[in-house]
Amino acid sequence: MKAIILIPTYNEIDNIQKLVPFLLSKYPEVNILVIDDNSPDGTHKWVKEFSEKDSRVHLIKRAGKMGLGTAYVEGYKYMLANGYDVAVQMDADYSHNPNDVQKFLSYINDYDLVIGSRYIKGVNVVNWPISRLLLSYFANMYTRIITGLPIMDGTGGFKCFRSEVLRSINLDKIKSNGYSFQIEMNYISWKKGFKIFEFPIVFTDRFQGTSKMSKKIVHEAIFMVWKLRFRSLIGRLN
């Protein structure tokens, strides 16, 4: 399969300088697309220079800080337009273990959407304050109760899609960000009948940079689950 790793960035220069070479050395057959929101720290400049030396690395530089959901949507569109079969999405900050990419590339042979789950076997989160952990855990429980989505970690961002899934979704209608973006993509994929698989990962809180979590992201997720359920009931999900 022709695979690409999608990595959204904003001020991730220290992380991306380590992550990109590591991924290329470990998975030489895989391409990388960095979607950068015009990072003031020069992340996009470094990626552009690197891409000129290695054709496996690609860059989308956006005008400014436009949000995680829209970054991934641009990455999905790039993936589909350039004939990739699968897309792995991951953070740049090493909260997602790059060694787990191999598991995604293996499992995706048998499934349509593979999710690296923090909660499929207990709670596998390192270095989070208890308040953040409880927020995430109960957000996932809330999502399952309201929508019926049979996924333990519906808000996680370490995932792998087959192109067939993304092609079936009207990406121009996906406007959410953060938690709610992950929920929306999972829910639509499930409702369309695609095969979803979760495997356990260990999520380690970012060791560099700062969290992009905000009250706005949390509130968006709270209302998104009801919106998804209602749209599904009236047959206007996507």
Side-chain angles (χ1 to χ4, degrees):
M1 292 183 296
K2 188 178 179 184
I4 191 167
I5 301 173
L6 311 179
I7 308 174
T9 55
Y10 185 75
N11 285 347
E12 298 279 9
I13 184 68
D14 293 333
N15 292 318
I16 208 72
Q17 286 177 333
K18 301 180 183 72
L19 182 61
V20 167
F22 177 84
L23 289 171
L24 292 175
S25 64
K26 190 170 181 65
Y27 313 104
E29 74 285 1
V30 173
N31 281 201
I32 297 171
L33 173 64
V34 175
I35 309 103
D36 185 76
D37 278 3
N38 199 18
S39 296
D41 71 353
T43 299
H44 56 86
K45 294 178 182 177
W46 184 87
V47 174
K48 185 176 186 298
E49 291 174 1
F50 196 99
S51 69
E52 291 169 353
K53 296 179 286 186
D54 195 318
S55 61
R56 294 172 295 172
V57 177
H58 311 274
L59 171 70
I60 293 177
K61 179 192 171 187
R62 308 205 299 168
K65 199 171 182 181
M66 300 165 67
L68 185 69
T70 58
Y72 274 131
V73 166
E74 287 202 42
Y76 298 155
K77 289 180 176 179
Y78 181 96
M79 172 253 198
L80 295 174
N82 289 276
Y84 292 94
D85 301 302
V86 300
V88 178
Q89 62 176 62
M90 67 182 297
D91 293 344
D93 61 9
Y94 285 87
S95 55
H96 297 151
N97 187 341
N99 289 305
D100 286 335
V101 170
Q102 184 57 58
K103 297 177 183 177
F104 284 101
L105 297 177
S106 176
Y107 287 130
I108 201 65
N109 286 298
D110 300 312
Y111 298 92
D112 302 306
L113 167 58
V114 177
I115 298 171
S117 176
R118 298 163 291 182
Y119 307 122
I120 194 70
K121 287 188 176 179
V123 177
N124 293 316
V125 177
V126 179
N127 292 339
W128 261 5
I130 190 65
S131 58
R132 179 74 185 275
L133 178 58
L134 290 174
L135 172 64
S136 174
Y137 185 83
F138 284 109
N140 278 285
M141 183 182 295
Y142 173 79
T143 298
R144 291 194 301 275
I145 292 170
I146 303 303
T147 66
L149 182 65
I151 294 174
M152 291 300 295
D153 193 355
T155 62
F158 202 7
K159 303 194 291 193
C160 183
F161 286 94
R162 294 183 72 93
S163 60
E164 293 89 340
V165 180
L166 299 173
R167 198 173 289 113
S168 76
I169 296 173
N170 186 342
L171 295 173
D172 292 327
K173 288 187 176 182
I174 306 294
K175 303 297 183 183
S176 52
N177 274 300
Y179 275 173
S180 59
F181 172 77
Q182 309 297 353
I183 295 168
E184 186 173 9
M185 291 297 295
N186 291 338
Y187 187 75
I188 294 172
S189 302
W190 174 57
K191 280 294 184 178
K192 287 180 176 289
F194 289 105
K195 292 190 297 181
I196 301 175
F197 177 72
E198 289 182 275
F199 74 93
I201 63 166
V202 175
F203 179 94
T204 304
D205 196 17
R206 48 195 300 128
F207 67 88
Q208 291 188 37
T210 57
S211 173
K212 300 177 178 64
M213 179 56 59
S214 68
K215 288 183 179 180
K216 180 181 178 182
I217 289 174
V218 174
H219 292 157
E220 183 185 29
I222 290 171
F223 292 108
M224 173 58 70
V225 294
W226 288 101
K227 187 184 297 184
L228 290 171
R229 182 175 177 181
F230 177 73
R231 280 161 40 188
S232 178
L233 287 173
I234 64 174
R236 299 181 61 182
L237 185 57
N238 182 259

